[in-house]
Amino acid sequence: MYLENKNNREREMSETGAPEHPVRAGRGKPDAVLGNLGEFRLLEGFSGMRETQKVQQSGASTTAHCVIYTDRSGPRQPEGQGCASWLVVFPHPPSAPLLSPASFTYLTLQEQSWDGCSGEAEGRCQLGSEVTGLSRSLLTEKSEPQDGPLFSFMLSGRLLCPMLLHKSDYNDTLCSIQLFFSIYPDHGNPWQMLAVSSTASFTRNLSDFRDSALLRLQMGGPFLRRPIAEAPREYVLVQVEQSGEEGSRRRRGQQVIYNWTIPIHSQGNEQILMSRAFEMLSSGPVSITIQAFLQDSEVIPLSMTYQSLYVNVETQVVIAGIILAGVYVLIIFEIVHRTLAAMLGSLAALAALAVIGDRPSLITVVEWIDYETLALLFGMMVLVAIFSETGFFDYCAVKAYHLSRGRVWPMITILCLIAAILSAFLDNVTTMMLFTPVTIRLCEVLNLDPRHVLIAEVIFTNIGGAATAVGDPPNVIIVSNQDLRKTGIDFAAFTGYMFLGICLVLLTSFPFLRLLYWNKKLYNREPMEIVELKHEILVWKQTAQRINPASREETAVKCLLMHKVHNLESVLRNKLKTFQREISQEDKNWENNIQELQKKHRITDKVLLVKCVSVLAVVICVFFLNSFIPSIHLDLGWIAILGALWLLVLADVQDFEIILHRVEWATLLFFASLFVLMEALAQLQLIDYIGEQTAALIKSVPDEQRLAIAIILVMWVSALVSSLIDNIPFTATMIPVLINLSQDADVNLPVRPLIFALAMGACLGGNGTLIGASANVVCAGIAEQHGYGFSFMEFFRLGFPMMLLTSTVGMCYLLVTHVGLGWNT
């Protein structure tokens, strides 16, 4: 009852509390008017402090102050064994704005000696913390103005030290990472220029190798970018030799020799960099011999550099896995923002590279960032920011409501289907950049929760992007591979095969989406009477739970309160049934609602709309033609940037700061950090290790089951890995692995089913987690800017089951077509 409203709460506490100053009131022995709930004395002091605060505010006091209420009950304990509890109130200065209803900053602290204190005092302090927590949670739900510009929070004294300890742990970890990163210098070994031929070789002796586990050798020259099936006619042979030292673990004179064959492009002029790591025996000297095998006496110019690494490959993979797991822990539990988590993960990966002896320079780290993707995102953000000024998104929301005839699920189905179709021909990021504002505005008009609708849209965007060769970056990488084109995997063949499979995936995804959303609350706001009724039930229920039925009167009061709670819950159930029945049925007055919405949400600037539609149509058209016309020498990033500049000029934007404020800078920084993190993990051999282990597992399977197991293994490894890391470097790494696997005479596998399994898994696996696909992050960033951000776990609960279903359907399609029907050529 004392929590029902402000006036009653003040009146009832003033009736039971002492009128004097709270500090003085705390010195006397409190009255036991509340039985075992002695912690209510804190509220008495709180009431007195409110009156004191009013008097001080009337005196135009401008300085912040605090009032300390101390309670020392019972006989005075000997020094060193006493217990005390305080309620410390910190009012904010008068210049602070009016904030939450609980108007004071107060800390319930407990002073306890190391020798312990009485159980009664400890229990009273603990109950006091519970009451203050209850009053804060109930007061903040009810937005009532208070008397002063104050802010409230409660922190238990027992929780204060652990929280500070966790912060200290974070700071210590970050300082350790920065220390490791700063004490190890960049690997600055210069490139050495050399020339070799069929008759002249080059030899380099390394006497300062020390106790290194690996020797990384980088070669630059006119090499072939990708391996070839037949034995090369012209190639460069690199031979690395090391002899065991006397006193080493291996016997003296034992040698290790590695031969590295690099095919030469006979007519190539571009310098291609190749890298390989060699495991060393000990700290003995190393000899590197380079010789070219050519059909004539031509001289081949080359460049070479080497680097000593102090950790073997397995340890590097473990370190990379720990760093990746740490980043996911930060994002899943929302310890920090996902952008900061990616930045911390990037720093940790760079520090790990520094420790093993392979710290990259700042120029190298900057080169790891994919600026084409960042330019695409920035350009589309500017286009959408200007587009939103026309009222076009509101107009589209009303049209979508009209097409669905006022029904929610038909409208969601239409939005997801359109998003899937558009993403098949556009980039997934571009599709979500255009669809997210429309969806948010539509949900606001229809009183829906935009988060669930946005998650459904981005899931179907990733599914639709797998249907064509231009819908998703992994597909673009596969189709642009020259070796795969020779095997018949071109644009038409790839799109025809994947389109049929994705259609089957979509047919099963829509019913499963409805099943996932069966118990989801799509409407984000309930009628005010239901909200107030829920709040009233919460107050009465928690008040009744606080009463200790020690006497007959107290038991009777608690029974009365619980009876009232049951009656209110019955009323609430009836109101909820009526409300759910209203929103689940077709709106009978949807035509009248559409007329009202059309009057309210109209196109505000038709001239600007024509300009925006014209520029956006040209940009999308060039996006599509860029994949077919090789004479268009513009990347997607350049097209988006040029379109944004063109629209800025046509729209005659005067206040440029407004446009820049609508750019998702946190999303751009997240992608930049993610690119650095993924490349650093690749330098730690994580992606190569996954590819090698996948190939080794496939080789270990018997011949009669090898194709089916290979399809299943490549499909699920691609899906699960793409859920955790970026699918672009993983796809680029797995393509040569699968090509080599298909060219191995002992394995005897066709390359087409392996590549299609890779494409299906890499694209559909992006739905597994929030950072599994670029479209997921972009959608979450835009939604967060509009106040509807969703967490990692909210996306995971819907996206991961959908990823499992779609991957299963895709796997069945691959097995039926390649194993059952034999579509391998």
Side-chain angles (χ1 to χ4, degrees):
M1 289 179 289
Y2 63 92
L3 296 173
E4 186 168 354
N5 56 58
K6 181 184 69 173
N7 296 329
N8 292 338
R9 185 167 60 250
E10 291 180 353
R11 183 174 62 254
E12 296 190 21
M13 287 190 295
S14 62
E15 291 175 357
T16 59
E20 58 264 20
H21 195 276
V23 176
R24 294 171 55 192
R27 294 175 181 172
K29 184 175 180 179
D31 300 330
V33 295
L34 295 175
N36 291 334
L37 299 181
E39 72 276 5
F40 282 176
R41 285 189 294 272
L42 298 174
L43 298 179
E44 297 176 11
F46 183 72
S47 176
M49 284 183 287
R50 291 182 53 141
E51 300 299 329
T52 306
Q53 173 68 11
K54 292 180 182 179
V55 174
Q56 294 182 358
Q57 286 183 355
S58 62
S61 174
T62 59
T63 59
H65 54 277
C66 69
V67 180
I68 302 178
Y69 169 56
T70 175
D71 176 16
R72 300 184 182 270
S73 57
R76 183 176 181 85
Q77 301 290 338
E79 186 176 357
Q81 299 181 359
C83 299
S85 61
W86 296 274
L87 181 67
V88 186
V89 183
F90 299 98
H92 281 231
S95 59
L98 183 62
L99 296 176
S100 63
S103 58
F104 288 92
T105 301
Y106 58 98
L107 273 72
T108 305
L109 303 178
Q110 178 181 356
E111 177 183 338
Q112 182 174 352
S113 65
W114 292 105
D115 299 332
C117 64
S118 64
E120 181 184 358
E122 182 178 358
R124 182 167 60 250
C125 295
Q126 182 176 0
L127 289 173
S129 300
E130 294 176 359
V131 172
T132 50
L134 170 63
S135 60
R136 181 190 69 168
S137 62
L138 295 177
L139 287 173
T140 52
E141 290 181 0
K142 203 165 186 178
S143 301
E144 291 182 0
Q146 295 296 319
D147 300 322
L150 305 166
F151 177 75
S152 170
F153 73 95
M154 186 278 293
L155 185 64
S156 174
R158 292 189 173 186
L159 296 179
L160 182 60
C161 292
M163 290 178 63
L164 294 178
L165 181 61
H166 291 319
K167 283 293 184 182
S168 177
D169 291 342
Y170 298 150
N171 293 332
D172 293 343
T173 303
L174 183 58
C175 291
S176 300
I177 294 175
Q178 293 175 347
L179 179 63
F180 284 129
F181 187 70
S182 60
I183 63 178
Y184 293 96
D186 299 343
H187 63 84
N189 291 343
W191 286 84
Q192 182 175 358
M193 307 303 297
L194 55 104
V196 294
S197 64
S198 300
T199 58
S201 62
F202 172 83
T203 302
R204 175 69 184 272
N205 295 320
L206 306 180
S207 59
D208 56 345
F209 193 66
R210 296 184 298 178
D211 294 327
S212 299
L214 296 174
L215 171 66
R216 176 178 291 173
L217 192 63
Q218 285 184 292
M219 300 294 299
F223 304 136
L224 289 175
R225 290 182 177 271
R226 301 171 183 87
I228 57 178
E230 63 277 3
R233 297 182 180 179
E234 297 182 336
Y235 59 92
V236 171
L237 178 63
V238 180
Q239 189 177 70
V240 180
E241 179 181 359
Q242 185 187 40
S243 301
E245 286 185 323
E246 183 178 0
S248 62
R249 294 183 180 179
R250 301 178 183 265
R251 66 180 183 270
R252 184 177 180 184
Q254 183 177 2
Q255 293 182 343
V256 57
I257 300 177
Y258 297 100
N259 292 325
W260 180 20
T261 302
I262 310 176
I264 294 178
H265 196 305
S266 58
Q267 297 179 352
N269 297 322
E270 183 182 0
Q271 185 181 20
I272 306 300
L273 296 180
M274 308 294 289
S275 177
R276 185 173 175 180
F278 305 94
E279 185 176 359
M280 297 291 101
L281 291 175
S282 62
S283 59
V286 177
S287 175
I288 302 175
T289 304
I290 304 173
Q291 186 174 3
F293 292 86
L294 308 174
Q295 296 180 352
D296 51 21
S297 59
E298 185 181 0
V299 177
I300 299 297
L302 302 175
S303 58
M304 181 193 73
T305 186
Y306 66 91
Q307 182 66 30
S308 302
L309 305 181
Y310 308 112
V311 177
N312 56 25
V313 175
E314 289 76 12
T315 307
Q316 293 183 40
V317 172
V318 171
I319 294 174
I322 294 175
I323 293 173
L324 186 62
V327 173
Y328 269 88
V329 167
L330 294 178
I331 296 177
I332 290 174
F333 296 100
E334 298 182 354
I335 300 176
V336 295
H337 193 271
R338 59 177 174 270
T339 302
L340 182 57
M343 296 173 65
L344 293 176
S346 302
L347 180 60
L350 293 176
L353 289 175
V355 171
I356 68 174
D358 192 23
R359 173 182 168 177
S361 63
L362 180 60
I363 298 177
T364 304
V365 173
V366 172
E367 290 175 350
W368 289 350
I369 301 175
D370 188 355
Y371 289 101
E372 179 183 353
T373 301
L374 297 183
L376 172 64
L377 293 173
F378 177 79
M380 294 305 300
M381 287 176 183
V382 173
L383 288 173
V384 172
I386 301 176
F387 211 166
S388 62
E389 298 293 333
T390 63
F392 178 75
F393 296 145
D394 297 346
Y395 178 79
C396 291
V398 176
K399 284 299 181 182
Y401 183 68
H402 177 73
L403 292 175
S404 63
R405 301 178 64 88
R407 293 173 293 181
V408 175
W409 269 108
M411 181 198 66
I412 296 178
T413 303
I414 292 173
L415 290 176
C416 293
L417 185 60
I418 295 175
I421 294 174
L422 283 181
S423 63
F425 302 99
L426 296 178
D427 185 77
N428 295 352
V429 175
T430 304
T431 303
M432 290 312 302
M433 291 286 294
L434 298 175
F435 254 74
T436 303
V438 177
T439 304
I440 291 176
R441 192 67 192 110
L442 172 63
C443 294
E444 289 176 347
V445 170
L446 302 182
N447 197 24
L448 293 174
D449 188 354
R451 296 174 297 173
H452 300 307
V453 183
L454 289 175
I455 293 175
E457 282 184 0
V458 75
I459 287 174
F460 279 87
T461 298
N462 294 326
I463 295 175
T468 63
V470 296
D472 218 3
N475 298 354
V476 177
I477 295 174
I478 291 174
V479 174
S480 61
N481 190 285
Q482 297 298 328
D483 295 331
L484 293 178
R485 287 189 177 184
K486 295 178 181 179
T487 61
I489 304 179
D490 54 5
F491 183 90
F494 184 89
T495 302
Y497 182 85
M498 293 292 293
F499 183 80
L500 179 60
I502 294 302
C503 288
L504 296 177
V505 171
L506 287 175
L507 290 177
T508 58
S509 298
F510 280 107
F512 188 69
L513 178 69
R514 186 67 180 91
L515 181 64
L516 288 177
Y517 279 45
W518 188 264
N519 293 322
K520 294 295 181 182
K521 181 181 176 183
L522 296 180
Y523 280 79
N524 62 343
R525 298 185 187 92
E526 294 174 333
M528 186 57 63
E529 56 178 354
I530 294 181
V531 175
E532 293 179 351
L533 186 58
K534 285 185 176 181
H535 175 70
E536 186 177 357
I537 292 174
L538 177 65
V539 172
W540 286 110
K541 183 182 294 185
Q542 294 186 348
T543 304
Q545 291 174 353
R546 298 292 177 179
I547 297 179
N548 184 18
S551 63
R552 183 175 58 184
E553 291 79 7
E554 291 174 338
T555 303
V557 171
K558 185 171 184 177
C559 291
L560 289 175
L561 292 178
M562 294 305 299
H563 181 68
K564 182 176 180 62
V565 168
H566 292 321
N567 292 336
L568 292 177
E569 288 179 344
S570 177
V571 175
L572 176 62
R573 284 193 295 268
N574 295 331
K575 289 184 177 294
L576 287 176
K577 289 180 181 179
T578 304
F579 178 67
Q580 295 293 335
R581 193 181 304 114
E582 291 176 354
I583 66 175
S584 60
Q585 296 177 352
E586 181 180 356
D587 191 355
K588 304 300 181 181
N589 299 323
W590 65 273
E591 294 181 351
N592 297 331
N593 293 338
I594 287 178
Q595 293 178 359
E596 295 178 0
L597 291 174
Q598 287 177 346
K599 294 178 182 179
K600 185 183 301 183
H601 306 287
R602 297 179 178 179
I603 301 296
T604 57
D605 194 337
K606 295 183 179 180
V607 177
L608 181 59
L609 176 63
V610 172
K611 297 178 181 178
C612 292
V613 171
S614 301
V615 173
L616 191 60
V618 172
V619 170
I620 294 176
C621 182
V622 178
F623 278 166
F624 187 73
L625 295 178
N626 185 50
S627 303
F628 303 98
I629 303 178
S631 60
I632 300 178
H633 302 288
L634 288 176
D635 296 328
L636 298 182
W638 272 115
I639 297 172
I641 290 293
L642 294 177
L645 293 176
W646 186 17
L647 186 57
L648 285 172
V649 173
L650 292 178
D652 193 19
V653 176
Q654 300 296 330
D655 194 351
F656 195 69
E657 295 293 333
I658 297 179
I659 303 299
L660 293 180
H661 281 308
R662 297 188 180 182
V663 174
E664 296 290 333
W665 297 109
T667 302
L668 296 178
L669 188 58
F670 173 80
F671 275 105
S673 303
L674 191 64
F675 290 142
V676 175
L677 174 62
M678 291 299 113
E679 185 61 30
L681 296 181
Q683 295 292 326
L684 289 171
Q685 310 298 320
L686 176 63
I687 300 178
D688 292 337
Y689 183 81
I690 295 174
E692 293 172 0
Q693 294 301 314
T694 303
L697 287 175
I698 294 175
K699 291 181 180 180
S700 63
V701 178
D703 295 341
E704 60 274 7
Q705 302 173 355
R706 183 168 293 165
L707 179 59
I709 297 300
I711 292 175
I712 296 174
L713 192 60
V714 172
M715 174 74 191
W716 284 105
V717 168
S718 303
L720 295 176
V721 172
S722 298
S723 298
L724 300 177
I725 63 177
D726 192 4
N727 53 14
I728 296 177
F730 177 75
T731 304
T733 303
M734 286 297 295
I735 287 177
V737 173
L738 297 180
I739 291 177
N740 294 336
L741 193 64
S742 64
Q743 295 171 354
D744 192 340
D746 298 333
V747 177
N748 192 21
L749 285 177
V751 69
R752 289 172 63 91
L754 301 180
I755 294 300
F756 286 134
L758 174 64
M760 193 79 73
C763 294
L764 298 180
N767 288 327
T769 62
L770 181 60
I771 63 176
S774 302
N776 305 351
V777 181
V778 171
C779 179
I782 299 176
E784 184 177 4
Q785 189 183 41
H786 287 78
Y788 300 104
F790 46 87
S791 64
F792 182 95
M793 293 304 300
E794 288 176 334
F795 186 91
F796 182 81
R797 295 188 190 100
L798 299 173
F800 193 78
M802 184 65 73
M803 185 271 291
L804 295 179
L805 174 74
T806 54
S807 299
T808 303
V809 175
M811 179 192 65
C812 295
Y813 172 72
L814 291 168
L815 292 176
V816 170
T817 55
H818 291 289
V819 179
L821 301 178
W823 292 1
N824 299 327
T825 57

